[in-house]
Structure formats: C-alpha cells, structure tokens
Amino acid sequence: MARVVRSGQLAQGPEVAAFERELAARLGVEAAAAVSSGSAALELALRALEVGPGAEVLIPTFACAALYHAVTRVGAAPVLVDADPATCSLDPADARRRRTRRTRAVIVPHAFGLAVDLAPFEALGVPVVEDCAQALGARVGARPAGSLGRLAVCSFYATKLVTTGEGGAVAGPAPLVARVVDARAYDERADLAPRFNWKLTDLQAALGRRQLARLDAFVARRRAIAARYRARLAALPCALPPDVGPRHVYHRFVVGVDRPVDAVLTRLAAAGVTARRPVFRPLHRALGLEGYPEADRLWARLVSLPCYPSLADADVDRVADALAEALAA
C-alpha cells in the first residue's frame, strides 16, 4: 500500500487489474471485475444477466438485506425462499415451489462459510448467482466456491475472509464479466446507457492482493478455532455447525441454543463477549410476511460466536466458558 501511495496512482489502475487476475485464478474462473462493494457486485451481476423489470429473482429470506436491495434496484421482484436447516441457505424444495415462469435468476449464498451444492438450484433452469461473500477458500469436491454458479459475487468488507476495507467483485465467464466492467464506470462513453461509479481503487486492491495471498493461512486458523470450539462445547446443550471438511471456512461459528437468544446474548455481553444473531432479521419479518417457518426457527435459536484469525486460543476458551455459564443460567 505504501508503494502505491508513493507511485501517485491511487485510483483504479494496474493494482486493480492484478487483483482481478489473481482472484480469477484463485476461484478457477475466466475473469473477475473488482467493484466498490459486495452490494454493488450483486446488482451488477444481475444486470450482466439482463435481469430487469418484470422478472423475479429467488433469494433467501434468512440473509442480509443486500440481496433484496440488489434485486429491487434492477427493477425485478424478490421472491423470498425459506431456509434449509442443514445449510442455513435456501431450501431447494421451497425454491422449486416458488419458481414461476417469470423467474430469471436465483441468488444462493454460502451462508456463514459453508459451501452449498448448487446442483438442485441449477436444476431450476435459471442462472445461479453464487454469493461467496462468506466463503472464499471453501470447496465443493474439487471445485472452489466461486466457480460453481453462472456468476459469483464476492465481498471484501472489513469483516470478510479477505478485506479491502470496502469492496467486492463479480467473477465468471469473460463475456459476462465484461458487462460488469462496462457498467462500473460511466465517464467518457459514447452512449448514456445506465452506468455507475462503482470502481475499486489501486490502494484498496494492493491491500486485497496481500490479503488474498494469506487466505489459506486465514482459513487454516479459522478451522483451528472451530475445532477448539467443538472440543470445548461438545458437552453443552447446543447444536454445533456441520463438520464437513473443506466445504466450511467458518466465516462465522454458529451454534444453536435451546434458550431465548436475546437472554444468551445479554449474558455473553455481560461476560465481555460480543456475540450476535448471524442474521439481523429475516427479510420476511421486515416485510410483515408469514410462511417461512424454518427461517423463523433458525432466527430464534442461532448465535454467532467470535471467530476470526487473530482470535487467540485463550479467547476461544473464554468464549466457551461464557457460553457454558449463559446456558446454565
């Protein structure tokens, strides 16, 4: 980053181009386009797939609001899908029930770092946008997360597995990524087609390149933390995340509790442990809708414990002890 500052080239330039090449190679796809945020990446991916007014897009209700906003900003209608209890992503059967002749895409997040098998969603016959915001470094069989869908979107926000502070990317086939490259900047164009100022800077890309080079070490540490949590929490009355080897990179370590979540979070906070619900609020609750029982159940019982590479073993033990006390209270 200091080298970039000294160069005087701070805006999008050679560092962004190098970051895009390295990210595409890591994901095993033809091309990647770096953009200003994961939210921008979601919208640009839908635009690249020509999703617009009159279309419907299947999205999970048990997810952050960025997916909903991306769909509405392109003029399409979000269709909420209930959660899969095994993956916390979309339930394939419910997605199949909610698909209509107007469905033009489905956004499938790898929730909390657990890579999802996309085959049931590809069977819907519409493009799958693979949301890798929480799953860089995960694999399904021999294939990395990010190479499984029609397009993949990444987020490089400060809390993600790789960070540029703020930032994101769209990755996939070169012709589709070229549409994203065209739309992320509006200046000096021959026409006035809708475009945006959603570029990444060379300063951010320099940070991202070093972060990407350390991804394997970051993931190894997250998995070590998860293993320590498993050992310390095995005897407690809580459900642990699935142990599925390379499919999980533990962006979050999420446990299920049989106590009121708010009370558990309050007791953890009193012990100096910051824990959260892994999803702020299911989208259907924000919209006043019903008919999503599994998402309601997950929201009522899941707790996300601290899990990040700089967390020390002693901190993991402290969190485990605090959770034991909270569950016993």
Side-chain angles (χ1 to χ4, degrees), residues 31-33 48 172-184 189:
L176 291 178
V177 173
R179 296 179 183 179
V180 175
V181 171
D182 179 71
R184 73 182 173 186
R189 301 305 181 94

Side-chain angles (χ1 to χ4, degrees), residues 10-223:
L10 303 185
Q12 178 180 284
E15 288 292 327
V16 170
F19 183 40
E20 290 170 338
R21 290 192 299 271
E22 292 161 6
L23 179 63
R26 176 74 199 216
L27 297 179
V29 297
E30 287 184 348
V35 296
S36 58
S37 70
S39 297
L42 283 164
E43 180 173 340
L44 289 172
L46 293 174
R47 290 182 180 275
L49 294 169
E50 300 181 330
V51 175
E56 294 178 348
V57 179
L58 302 176
I59 64 171
T61 187
F62 195 61
C64 74
L67 283 69
Y68 179 88
H69 293 315
V71 175
T72 59
R73 280 196 301 265
V74 301
V79 176
L80 305 184
V81 178
D82 203 4
D84 181 336
T87 67
C88 296
S89 187
L90 293 85
D91 174 14
D94 195 48
R96 191 163 54 249
R97 284 191 294 268
R98 297 179 190 270
R99 187 199 187 287
T100 73
R101 58 183 177 82
R102 293 185 297 275
T103 304
R104 293 293 178 269
V106 53
I107 302 176
V108 182
H110 299 304
F112 318 141
L114 174 59
V116 178
D117 179 7
L118 296 189
F121 302 103
E122 291 173 335
L124 296 173
V126 297
V128 177
V129 177
E130 185 182 1
D131 186 344
C132 298
Q134 301 182 346
L136 286 182
R139 304 183 73 86
V140 176
R143 298 180 62 184
S147 68
L148 307 171
R150 181 62 172 155
L151 282 174
V153 296
C154 304
S155 171
F156 306 127
Y157 180 62
T159 60
K160 298 302 192 290
L161 290 105
V162 166
T163 185
T164 58
E166 291 277 4
V170 181
L176 291 178
V177 173
R179 296 179 183 179
V180 175
V181 171
D182 179 71
R184 73 182 173 186
Y186 62 82
D187 202 18
E188 299 181 358
R189 301 305 181 94
D191 61 69
L192 293 179
R195 295 185 178 91
F196 311 90
N197 182 15
W198 283 347
K199 302 183 295 295
L200 199 69
T201 68
D202 263 17
L203 195 59
Q204 292 170 296
L207 174 58
R209 293 181 69 192
R210 296 308 305 150
Q211 287 272 297
L212 191 61
R214 300 172 65 192
L215 176 59
D216 289 337
F218 291 160
V219 170
R221 178 57 189 156
R222 287 178 178 274
R223 286 174 173 156

